[in-house]
Amino acid sequence: MGGDPPRHGDARHHRSRPALARLPAAAGIVSRLSGLGAALAATTGAQSLATLAVFTLPVLATLAARDLGAEPHWLGWQVACTYAAASTVSMFSGGLLRRLGPARCTQLALAAGAAACLLIVGAGLAGAVLGSFLTGIGYGLTNPSASQVLARLTPPARRNRVFAVKQTGVPIGGALAGAILPGLAGAIGWRGAVLAVGGVMAVAAIGCGAFRRHWDGEREPGAPLGAGALGGIVALRTRPGLGPLAVISACFSGFQLALGSYIVTMLVEEGGWAPVAAGFVASASQAVGIGARIAWGVVADWWRSGMKALAAIGVCTCLGGALLPMALAGPGVGIVMLLCLLGTCAAGWNGLLLAEAARLAAPGKAGDAAGGVLSVAFAGVVVGPSLFGAAVAVTQSYSAAFGMLALFPGIGALIAWRSALKGR
């Protein structure tokens, strides 16, 4: 009857309604986590943190080196260790992706960065060296993992823009390192600053576990870790267009790292600038790279050709590098404008590179393709600054050395244009 009190079972059912009412909200959260927006935010964040870890020791080198028992100039070897490890793990990332999936690999990458921070703080110079290798391992895993996810979720018409947005994580991470770490080290010491970075990376590694259900559905838990370990090499050898793309990446990456590393030194030593002013110009040239990556992605989608956009970037970088000696001898506004222009080009190609690697990859093998191409790009990072240093020794001029090194992005532009004409 309508006036009868509810039975015990009815009361249970009545009490369960709030929980059931929450189910649509939970379903909405699950749906958002499985979508492109969440994947792009998570992979960009992971890229930012991995880059922050890479820049931690370089930014704090003047404070940390003496305590670690080394001279500040050892930084060059530390960078080489980091990128050598990144190059190696990128090439062999296919086996890990197959067995663990991109979400677990992203967690592993961030956890490696957190462990590296602990080693740097607690194990002296040996810990710093080992920590540099671990940082490189984490950095090398982030891009193949992200490429595997984004290639699956991104419509072809938006591929370049999406990958360009994801690659803004690199300048964001570098900017965070420069803006936060020196002040943090002044407040709590350089060891405290390193531990803070490690803590954030550990929390992020745990948080990425929320994506395992959505990203790792295609993994093969029983696959041997060695299976597909050489997927990057196989992709470079068998997929048309990937080999030239890898050469382009090496030509561009060497100039990019040299530019980011030596702008301040060039302006101070050769141009007579005050260190603070030179640092501001260097920061500005890096900051414009954030928007430039997105802008180049839009241009590539508009042209419907990532290779043509890469060719344009290479031409602009080559011309800008060749003009540096003349600009340095002229008014200050001229060199500032030229360096900012170089920042939009020399740092604007990374997203296009990964988008092209995903396009040229075999179905379901975007991670292998990205790993193969990036292993060559990281090799360029190791070699480029070394060639730049040799050019400075010969010419006794940083600007002239940049002019000589600009030959490499010019070569990359020719390769990209040739590939575009072939329809690759």
Side-chain angles (χ1 to χ4, degrees), residues 49 103-104 106-112 114 199-210:
L49 289 176
R104 180 55 66 86
T106 302
Q107 287 184 286
L108 183 62
L110 294 171
V200 171
M201 297 192 74
V203 171
I206 295 170
C208 282

Side-chain angles (χ1 to χ4, degrees), residues 132-173:
S132 298
F133 279 107
L134 274 178
T135 300
I137 289 171
Y139 191 72
L141 267 180
T142 53
N143 274 313
S145 302
S147 294
Q148 190 85 352
V149 175
L150 296 179
R152 185 171 70 240
L153 297 175
T154 305
R158 298 169 58 194
R159 183 187 297 117
N160 289 293
R161 277 170 285 181
V162 167
F163 276 82
V165 170
K166 182 261 172 188
Q167 282 304 108
T168 61
V170 176
I172 288 173

Side-chain angles (χ1 to χ4, degrees), residues 303-348:
W303 288 351
R304 297 184 179 179
S305 175
M307 283 296 185
K308 287 183 180 179
L310 287 171
I313 288 173
V315 169
C316 293
T317 304
C318 180
L319 292 177
L323 290 173
L324 266 178
M326 290 181 287
L328 190 62
V333 65
I335 188 65
V336 171
M337 292 178 63
L338 182 58
L339 287 173
C340 286
L341 174 63
L342 276 172
T344 66
C345 299

Side-chain angles (χ1 to χ4, degrees), residues 326-416:
M326 290 181 287
L328 190 62
V333 65
I335 188 65
V336 171
M337 292 178 63
L338 182 58
L339 287 173
C340 286
L341 174 63
L342 276 172
T344 66
C345 299
W349 57 274
N350 308 71
L352 304 186
L353 178 91
L354 292 173
E356 284 297 289
R359 180 181 68 84
L360 296 169
K365 297 292 184 180
D368 285 359
V373 170
L374 286 171
S375 67
V376 181
F378 291 141
V381 168
V382 175
V383 173
S386 300
L387 292 177
F388 182 86
V392 171
V394 170
T395 64
Q396 299 298 305
S397 167
Y398 287 93
S399 60
F402 275 123
M404 296 171 65
L405 201 66
L407 175 66
F408 289 97
I411 294 171
L414 290 175
I415 297 172

Side-chain angles (χ1 to χ4, degrees), residues 15-405:
R15 285 195 299 268
S16 69
R17 284 178 183 172
L20 291 174
R22 289 194 296 268
L23 287 179
I29 293 173
V30 170
S31 177
R32 286 193 291 271
L33 286 176
S34 64
L36 175 59
L40 183 56
T43 53
T44 304
Q47 183 70 67
S48 300
L49 289 176
T51 306
L52 173 62
V54 169
F55 278 95
T56 295
L57 262 185
V59 168
L60 300 176
T62 55
L63 299 174
R66 296 292 195 278
D67 287 347
L68 292 172
E71 296 296 325
H73 63 74
W74 80 288
L75 176 62
W77 292 103
Q78 185 266 331
V79 171
C81 290
T82 299
Y83 282 100
S87 177
T88 302
V89 78
S90 293
M91 182 64 72
F92 291 90
S93 60
L96 284 170
L97 281 170
R98 175 182 290 187
R99 179 166 178 173
L100 302 179
R104 180 55 66 86
C105 282
T106 302
Q107 287 184 286
L108 183 62
L110 294 171
C117 291
L118 289 177
L119 285 170
I120 291 169
V121 168
L125 185 59
V129 173
L130 183 56
S132 298
F133 279 107
L134 274 178
T135 300
I137 289 171
Y139 191 72
L141 267 180
T142 53
N143 274 313
S145 302
S147 294
Q148 190 85 352
V149 175
L150 296 179
R152 185 171 70 240
L153 297 175
T154 305
R158 298 169 58 194
R159 183 187 297 117
N160 289 293
R161 277 170 285 181
V162 167
F163 276 82
V165 170
K166 182 261 172 188
Q167 282 304 108
T168 61
V170 176
I172 288 173
L176 286 174
I180 295 174
L181 292 181
L184 192 60
I188 60 176
W190 73 265
R191 288 186 172 87
V194 173
L195 285 177
V197 172
V200 171
M201 297 192 74
V203 171
I206 295 170
C208 282
F211 293 95
R212 289 185 59 201
R213 175 183 174 187
H214 312 289
W215 294 1
D216 294 351
E218 298 178 357
R219 73 187 185 96
E220 302 173 24
L225 286 176
L230 296 179
I233 295 176
V234 173
L236 291 180
R237 292 180 57 188
T238 60
R239 297 299 297 177
L242 276 184
L245 187 66
V247 176
I248 293 168
S249 73
C251 291
F252 285 5
S253 63
F255 186 91
Q256 179 188 357
L257 191 71
L259 185 70
S261 301
Y262 290 102
I263 285 180
V264 173
T265 304
M266 177 185 71
L267 292 176
V268 173
E269 297 292 333
E270 191 172 343
W273 287 55
V276 173
F280 177 78
V281 173
S283 297
S285 69
Q286 291 292 323
V288 297
I290 298 175
R293 292 176 187 234
I294 300 174
W296 280 112
V298 173
V299 168
D301 284 338
W302 180 40
W303 288 351
R304 297 184 179 179
S305 175
M307 283 296 185
K308 287 183 180 179
L310 287 171
I313 288 173
V315 169
C316 293
T317 304
C318 180
L319 292 177
L323 290 173
L324 266 178
M326 290 181 287
L328 190 62
V333 65
I335 188 65
V336 171
M337 292 178 63
L338 182 58
L339 287 173
C340 286
L341 174 63
L342 276 172
T344 66
C345 299
W349 57 274
N350 308 71
L352 304 186
L353 178 91
L354 292 173
E356 284 297 289
R359 180 181 68 84
L360 296 169
K365 297 292 184 180
D368 285 359
V373 170
L374 286 171
S375 67
V376 181
F378 291 141
V381 168
V382 175
V383 173
S386 300
L387 292 177
F388 182 86
V392 171
V394 170
T395 64
Q396 299 298 305
S397 167
Y398 287 93
S399 60
F402 275 123
M404 296 171 65
L405 201 66

